[in-house]
Amino acid sequence: LPPRLAIRAAGYSDEDVLSLTAALPQDGSLKLTCVDLGENPRLGDEAACGVLRALSKWHSESLVELRLDKCRRLGKASIMLCTTLLQQNAGTTAFHGLQTLDLSGIPIPLPEYVDLARAVSRHPHMCDLRLADTGLGQFDKAHACRVLTVLARSDSLKSLDLAWNVFDTEAFTVL
């Protein structure tokens, strides 16, 4: 297998991705650098969380790019697990080397948004975050300002895609 797992827009379901996850080598012989599951509308939390757990266990040191964009069936469980894997515990994170995270097109629940932003802002290597069309600011403009304020604290973030979210004047002031 190449160091990239790219099944973008392949139409995979949970069963397909769970089978693929089970087939990944567990002996350290494969060092995945990029996992792109984007644009698979049949992919749900069960399979996405399975892949994330496998990546954190067997590929955490090599993974630099993770794309889950436009997998509209992903929800709270996947976002919470991404947040957990980005958070620092005892000075290290499961996805310590991750530089790119794309969650565009996934509706992110309000309570999880600030936690995700906090984890990203504290992550030492995250430089490209894509959160286009995730519902930020759609229901609570003050919440959007809090999220943006937290993201602005990041020392490593260089690119932030927030297209198709709803912001007021205060949010643009933060940006």
Side-chain angles (χ1 to χ4, degrees):
L1 290 172
R4 297 177 59 91
L5 174 60
I7 57 170
R8 173 169 288 280
Y12 279 27
S13 67
D14 280 356
E15 294 79 18
D16 299 322
V17 173
L18 286 170
S19 296
L20 185 61
T21 302
L24 288 174
Q26 300 176 19
D27 60 1
S29 62
L30 176 66
K31 300 291 185 194
L32 285 174
T33 59
C34 173
V35 174
D36 186 351
L37 304 176
E39 297 183 23
N40 280 291
R42 295 172 38 198
L43 183 63
D45 280 330
E46 180 184 1
C49 288
V51 168
L52 290 170
R53 282 188 202 94
L55 292 172
S56 71
K57 188 173 183 179
W58 305 315
H59 305 281
S60 63
E61 292 179 18
S62 60
L63 190 66
V64 295
E65 186 176 337
L66 178 60
R67 298 185 183 279
L68 299 170
D69 59 301
K70 297 183 184 99
C71 295
R72 289 244 177 236
R73 288 187 53 221
L74 298 187
K76 182 178 180 175
S78 295
I79 299 302
M80 287 178 63
L81 186 54
C82 276
T83 299
T84 299
L85 296 173
L86 289 171
Q87 289 174 335
Q88 294 212 0
N89 298 313
T92 186
T93 67
F95 289 157
H96 180 74
L98 195 65
Q99 296 175 19
T100 299
L101 177 62
D102 191 347
L103 299 174
S104 296
I106 300 171
I108 299 177
L110 286 178
E112 281 65 53
Y113 228 123
V114 172
D115 291 337
L116 176 66
R118 193 172 293 119
V120 165
S121 71
R122 294 176 180 165
H123 194 279
H125 302 289
M126 183 66 63
C127 59
D128 183 8
L129 180 64
R130 299 176 187 198
L131 298 171
D133 194 22
T134 53
L136 184 59
Q138 187 173 9
F139 300 108
D140 187 346
K141 305 293 188 271
H143 180 265
C145 282
R146 284 191 299 277
V147 168
L148 294 175
T149 300
V150 170
L151 288 173
R153 293 183 193 142
S154 171
D155 292 329
S156 60
L157 203 56
K158 302 214 181 336
S159 176
L160 177 61
D161 183 356
L162 296 167
W164 296 103
N165 288 298
V166 182
F167 301 122
D168 61 8
T169 307
E170 288 182 48
F172 280 108
T173 302
V174 172
L175 291 173

